[in-house]
Amino acid sequence: MSRYYTFNAADAVEYARQFAGVKDPQSLVTADEIGDGNLNLVFKIRDTAGVSRVIVKQALPYVRCVGESWPLTLDRARIEAETLLVHGQFCPQHTVNILHHDAELAVMVQEDLSDHLIWRSELLKGKYYPQAASQLGEYLAQSLFHTSDFYQNAQYKKAEVSRFINPELCQITEDLFFTDPYIVHERNHFDALLQPEVDALRADRPLLLAVAALKQRFLSHAEALLHGDIHSGSIFVAEGKLKAIDAEFGFYGPMGFDLGTAMGNLLLNYCGLPGLVATREAADGREQRLQDLRDLWLSFRERFLQLAADKTQDPALAIAGYAEYFLQQVWHDAVGFCGSELIRRTIGFAHVADLDSIADAAMRADCQRHALSLGQWLIITAPQIDDIEALIARIRQNG
Amino acid sequence: MSRYYTFNAADAVEYARQFAGVKDPQSLVTADEIGDGNLNLVFKIRDTAGVSRVIVKQALPYVRCVGESWPLTLDRARIEAETLLVHGQFCPQHTVNILHHDAELAVMVQEDLSDHLIWRSELLKGKYYPQAASQLGEYLAQSLFHTSDFYQNAQYKKAEVSRFINPELCQITEDLFFTDPYIVHERNHFDALLQPEVDALRADRPLLLAVAALKQRFLSHAEALLHGDIHSGSIFVAEGKLKAIDAEFGFYGPMGFDLGTAMGNLLLNYCGLPGLVATREAADGREQRLQDLRDLWLSFRERFLQLAADKTQDPALAIAGYAEYFLQQVWHDAVGFCGSELIRRTIGFAHVADLDSIADAAMRADCQRHALSLGQWLIITAPQIDDIEALIARIRQNG
């Protein structure tokens, strides 16, 4: 029988005392449940001085924001912890540190990041972290390179692919990214003002063909161990620091998916800024997002190429020029997946505050239309957008 | 402890009596070991009248043609039987029937196909089976479509990907197809007459880049449950009949690999024919091989598109036109993998009689050079060869 039970605050404190590895376990005394995500309980464990010391995170056997009617595997807690441990092995500076995990209880103890803030919240306030995007590029380069065919022994990688098979969480992405937004489905929601654009999008055959191709790549291209959900709400930042968290969607998939998700969330903020902050500030913020986009891609690319030059293990893939060729495919994939993130976050199940928190309805609809049209354009023209400068130039052109 | 032991003839007879499901088991009396492959024991079980009734096939824990110094997993017998059972579910008419299998003994009992002959042997003699290529296309369309994202539920497919992870056998392909032929390696062998061509090939950077891309797709694109080794020596034919056997290389990989392997073996015969039969007969045979190539691709494509139209389960992939788009990628992959089969069968570890049995050394070298240059051209120009007619026209042009 499973030992699983849902933690209350006292359970979380007791668990942290046992497994957090702090030198004064009895000083841990309170737990505040701070989970604001869709899927889990998150306890902040404080000591007698009220200082937050560690995080205890437990998966619930259903989708929290929907309720017990949408059951969801507890195995995602194991996958999350094991994904973060693998990524942490190669990029400890940008991966949340997992101190302990227990698959049966679906629980893990993580380092406390109270001195960090969620990147999305900061972006909403117009706060700029000039190093964050390149640090995210570093995280993606290290985690994706070291779990790819360039670096992992082929037999070892196959065992890892099997260990990280994540059917239920992948299905959420398969449905919410690539299927629901393009059909009438009860999980979608959007303002009635957008109905004409949504109808046009669902009738756009070249778009639907390109989305099918993206879905098929998501379903079958096991290129590297992805984070699987690396949006600005899964990233903690502080001055000069960045940490990825929340990897329950981890699996072996196409690298472009992680890059596209990250890029898409920068562009969602870009689209929302005119509705979020004053005009002058919005213009500055948009330039920062385009710079973030450039920093993200170029730091990812540069580090990946350096790692490929220094550490590629497969002799056939080590040939000069191959990593560049491969990254060009990843780039085109990323642009397409980025477009699908823009669309699904605007008219699908899970929205973002970058758009939905805009108070004025007309302005909000304008920003959402922008996100939709940008997403549509990115998906369709992805194979023709050759590099980051071409992408940025075209985004500027489209306003 | 494993129950595995190596069968002798008496063991094979006893096993067939128990598990072949014949209604007169005691009539099974003799076993002839007829294995001529690289990996297994194969017993033909005869009855008291001398009639061959079933086949007992057992995997050895090493590569038979090399010896005990090259150990090889017995799990390949389970994978072979399970692959054939899956393929047989969707294409029983062209898949050898598995009557029983036992993973621990690494043994299976198969239907007897004594009224069939190995297709390669028939091709070597210039014997034409006009229906074989389109039947092979039917086999590949049925087996690949029904194990792909078009048809398999995404969660089910992920479990199947895991069930068919086949690291050791895949590594053989990874090494022998994509690495060894392009470097100096003790597993390679070829006539010294070919050294200049081999040197040129290994210095051909565009070729090596394209081979790296093929290898990466082989390593990471889990599109469908492949046969994994579908050359003309893994195919039995009779008048109007065809059966695929020997699926120990089965795994979820890129569809183009199975198609390319099959196409490559038709072209190896095409290249060898001038050295195998008289001039007039060789010219006829070459036309038949080109017709085979056309029949194979077109029957595969037509059946796959029909299945996609009738039976696609994934709503996003069901959009009109997507299957055509997808098959165009499979086509380009197939042309590339076809080229790599031509090269590795000419200068790598495992050769084919279509070339190596040519008696005259100069003629043999000419045919081998043809295979090499054709392979090289196919790999490099695969993305520009748009369809089967363009391919055939160019093969004719190259002589």
Side-chain angles (χ1 to χ4, degrees):
Chain A
M1 283 301 293
S2 166
R3 295 183 291 117
Y4 182 82
Y5 62 97
T6 305
F7 277 18
N8 59 28
D11 298 325
V13 170
E14 184 50 38
Y15 200 81
R17 285 180 176 178
Q18 276 190 62
F19 296 112
V22 300
K23 54 184 182 303
D24 52 348
Q26 293 312 312
S27 74
L28 302 178
V29 286
T30 64
D32 302 329
E33 208 284 301
I34 56 163
D36 60 350
N38 296 331
L39 305 171
N40 307 292
L41 294 174
V42 182
F43 298 96
K44 192 178 269 243
I45 311 295
R46 296 183 194 275
D47 63 19
T48 44
V51 176
S52 174
R53 299 285 294 277
V54 294
I55 299 294
V56 171
K57 178 172 177 179
Q58 186 182 41
L60 292 167
Y62 50 83
V63 177
R64 183 175 183 177
C65 60
V66 175
E68 302 192 16
S69 63
W70 187 345
L72 196 58
T73 176
L74 293 172
D75 189 43
R76 68 186 194 273
R78 175 191 67 79
I79 286 178
E80 173 174 7
E82 293 184 359
T83 298
L84 291 168
L85 286 168
V86 171
H87 286 188
Q89 191 183 337
F90 299 113
C91 196
Q93 69 277 33
H94 300 307
T95 310
V96 63
N97 189 16
I98 303 301
L99 304 165
H100 173 84
H101 77 107
D102 182 312
E104 228 177 318
L105 291 173
V107 74
M108 71 198 79
V109 187
Q110 304 180 355
E111 68 174 315
D112 177 78
L113 292 168
S114 293
D115 55 338
H116 289 61
L117 295 159
I118 289 290
W119 196 12
R120 189 186 306 284
S121 314
E122 295 292 279
L123 288 171
L124 288 173
K125 292 187 284 189
K127 173 97 169 96
Y128 186 34
Y129 288 80
Q131 291 171 270
S134 60
Q135 290 174 333
L136 180 55
E138 173 77 14
Y139 165 72
L140 292 173
Q142 295 284 357
S143 60
L144 300 179
F145 173 83
H146 286 102
T147 56
S148 75
D149 297 308
F150 287 91
Y151 183 74
Q152 277 185 338
N153 167 281
Q155 295 206 18
Y156 180 79
K157 182 183 166 225
K158 287 177 180 70
E160 290 289 276
V161 166
S162 195
R163 175 159 78 111
F164 288 102
I165 278 179
N166 195 357
E168 289 193 35
L169 280 283
C170 280
Q171 197 190 329
I172 293 178
T173 304
E174 287 149 17
D175 290 343
L176 299 191
F177 261 76
F178 305 112
T179 305
D180 294 359
Y182 306 95
I183 57 174
V184 176
H185 196 288
E186 59 183 7
R187 279 190 297 244
N188 296 321
H189 62 101
F190 51 84
D191 195 290
L193 288 170
L194 295 181
Q195 193 65 53
E197 284 79 8
V198 172
D199 291 343
L201 192 119
R202 290 175 180 167
D204 181 345
R205 186 163 298 276
L207 178 73
L208 300 181
L209 282 171
V211 169
L214 288 169
K215 182 171 190 179
Q216 209 270 334
R217 274 171 266 172
F218 184 86
L219 285 163
S220 67
H221 288 192
E223 292 173 354
L225 177 58
L226 307 190
H227 178 284
D229 192 30
I230 189 77
H231 58 79
S232 51
S234 305
I235 296 168
F236 270 117
V237 290
E239 289 304 331
K241 296 198 256 183
L242 178 141
K243 287 264 185 178
I245 61 167
D246 285 357
E248 56 258 86
F249 286 83
F251 78 112
Y252 272 76
M255 296 189 193
F257 183 77
D258 266 5
L259 284 147
T261 302
M263 288 162 58
N265 280 273
L266 293 172
L267 286 177
L268 285 161
N269 185 258
Y270 177 93
C271 291
L273 275 168
L276 294 169
V277 294
T279 312
R280 179 74 171 270
E281 206 185 337
D284 289 350
R286 285 189 151 193
E287 285 306 309
Q288 290 157 8
R289 283 311 77 66
L290 296 183
Q291 186 59 40
D292 283 345
L293 210 61
R294 180 185 286 116
D295 290 346
L296 168 61
W297 176 255
L298 292 182
S299 68
F300 167 76
R301 185 175 191 279
E302 187 182 350
R303 176 67 72 207
F304 196 101
L305 290 178
Q306 188 215 316
L307 290 168
D310 294 349
K311 298 175 78 173
T312 296
Q313 302 298 306
D314 188 298
L317 307 191
I319 178 171
Y322 178 65
E324 284 87 344
Y325 166 88
F326 177 78
L327 285 188
Q328 195 60 20
Q329 316 299 311
V330 171
W331 165 255
H332 291 302
D333 278 5
V335 173
F337 288 121
C338 172
S340 67
E341 174 74 354
L342 288 173
I343 290 174
R344 72 109 178 178
R345 291 292 198 179
T346 307
I347 62 170
F349 173 70
H351 289 210
V352 289
D354 308 68
L355 295 175
D356 281 25
S357 72
I358 297 170
D360 181 75
M363 173 60 94
R364 187 172 63 242
D366 275 350
C367 292
Q368 289 171 332
R369 281 189 200 103
H370 187 191
L372 281 185
S373 68
L374 185 54
Q376 202 167 4
W377 172 76
L378 288 173
I379 293 173
I380 294 173
T381 57
Q384 283 86 52
I385 303 173
D386 280 338
D387 58 32
I388 183 70
E389 296 308 331
L391 175 65
I392 289 174
R394 187 59 193 264
I395 294 169
R396 280 192 212 280
Q397 232 174 3
N398 283 25
Chain B
M1 284 300 294
S2 167
R3 294 183 292 116
Y4 181 82
Y5 61 96
T6 305
F7 277 17
N8 60 27
D11 298 325
V13 170
E14 184 50 37
Y15 199 81
R17 285 179 176 177
Q18 275 189 64
F19 296 112
V22 300
K23 55 184 181 301
D24 51 348
Q26 294 311 311
S27 73
L28 302 177
V29 287
T30 63
D32 303 329
E33 208 284 302
I34 56 163
D36 60 351
N38 298 330
L39 305 172
N40 307 294
L41 294 174
V42 182
F43 297 96
K44 194 179 268 248
I45 310 295
R46 296 181 194 276
D47 63 18
T48 44
V51 176
S52 174
R53 298 284 293 277
V54 293
I55 299 294
V56 172
K57 177 173 177 179
Q58 187 182 39
L60 292 167
Y62 49 81
V63 178
R64 183 175 183 176
C65 61
V66 175
E68 302 191 16
S69 63
W70 188 344
L72 196 58
T73 175
L74 292 172
D75 189 45
R76 69 187 194 272
R78 174 192 67 78
I79 286 179
E80 173 173 9
E82 293 184 359
T83 299
L84 292 167
L85 286 167
V86 171
H87 287 188
Q89 190 183 336
F90 300 112
C91 196
Q93 68 276 33
H94 299 308
T95 309
V96 64
N97 189 15
I98 303 301
L99 304 165
H100 173 84
H101 76 105
D102 182 312
E104 228 177 319
L105 291 173
V107 74
M108 72 197 78
V109 186
Q110 304 180 354
E111 69 175 314
D112 178 79
L113 292 167
S114 294
D115 56 337
H116 289 61
L117 295 158
I118 290 291
W119 196 10
R120 191 187 306 284
S121 313
E122 295 294 278
L123 289 170
L124 288 173
K125 291 187 287 190
K127 174 96 169 96
Y128 186 35
Y129 288 79
Q131 292 171 271
S134 59
Q135 290 174 332
L136 180 55
E138 174 77 14
Y139 165 72
L140 291 174
Q142 296 284 357
S143 60
L144 300 180
F145 173 83
H146 286 102
T147 57
S148 76
D149 297 307
F150 287 91
Y151 183 74
Q152 278 185 337
N153 167 280
Q155 296 207 17
Y156 180 79
K157 183 184 164 223
K158 287 177 181 68
E160 290 289 276
V161 166
S162 195
R163 175 159 77 112
F164 288 103
I165 277 179
N166 195 356
E168 290 193 33
L169 281 282
C170 280
Q171 197 191 330
I172 293 176
T173 304
E174 288 151 15
D175 290 343
L176 300 190
F177 261 76
F178 304 112
T179 305
D180 294 359
Y182 305 96
I183 57 174
V184 175
H185 196 289
E186 59 184 6
R187 279 190 297 246
N188 296 321
H189 62 100
F190 50 84
D191 196 290
L193 287 170
L194 295 181
Q195 193 65 53
E197 285 79 9
V198 172
D199 291 342
L201 191 119
R202 290 175 180 168
D204 181 344
R205 184 162 299 272
L207 178 73
L208 300 181
L209 282 170
V211 168
L214 288 168
K215 183 171 189 179
Q216 209 272 332
R217 275 172 265 173
F218 184 86
L219 286 163
S220 67
H221 289 193
E223 292 175 354
L225 178 58
L226 308 189
H227 178 285
D229 192 30
I230 189 74
H231 57 80
S232 52
S234 306
I235 296 167
F236 269 116
V237 290
E239 290 305 332
K241 295 198 258 185
L242 176 139
K243 287 264 185 180
I245 60 166
D246 286 357
E248 57 258 86
F249 286 82
F251 78 112
Y252 272 76
M255 296 191 192
F257 184 77
D258 266 6
L259 285 148
T261 302
M263 289 162 59
N265 279 272
L266 294 171
L267 286 178
L268 285 161
N269 185 258
Y270 178 94
C271 292
L273 274 167
L276 296 167
V277 295
T279 312
R280 179 73 171 272
E281 207 185 335
D284 290 349
R286 284 188 151 194
E287 285 306 310
Q288 291 157 6
R289 281 314 75 67
L290 296 183
Q291 187 58 40
D292 283 344
L293 210 61
R294 180 184 288 114
D295 290 345
L296 167 62
W297 175 256
L298 292 181
S299 68
F300 167 76
R301 185 175 191 280
E302 186 181 352
R303 177 67 72 206
F304 196 101
L305 290 177
Q306 188 215 315
L307 290 168
D310 294 348
K311 298 177 76 174
T312 296
Q313 302 299 306
D314 187 297
L317 307 190
I319 178 173
Y322 178 66
E324 284 86 346
Y325 166 88
F326 177 78
L327 286 189
Q328 195 61 19
Q329 314 301 309
V330 171
W331 166 255
H332 290 302
D333 277 7
V335 173
F337 288 121
C338 172
S340 66
E341 174 74 353
L342 287 173
I343 290 174
R344 73 109 178 178
R345 291 293 199 179
T346 306
I347 63 170
F349 174 70
H351 289 212
V352 290
D354 307 67
L355 294 175
D356 282 25
S357 71
I358 297 170
D360 181 76
M363 172 61 93
R364 187 171 64 244
D366 275 351
C367 292
Q368 289 171 332
R369 280 189 201 102
H370 187 191
L372 281 186
S373 68
L374 184 55
Q376 201 168 4
W377 172 76
L378 289 172
I379 292 173
I380 293 173
T381 58
Q384 283 86 51
I385 303 173
D386 279 337
D387 59 32
I388 182 71
E389 297 307 331
L391 175 64
I392 289 174
R394 186 62 193 263
I395 294 169
R396 281 192 212 281
Q397 233 175 1
N398 283 24

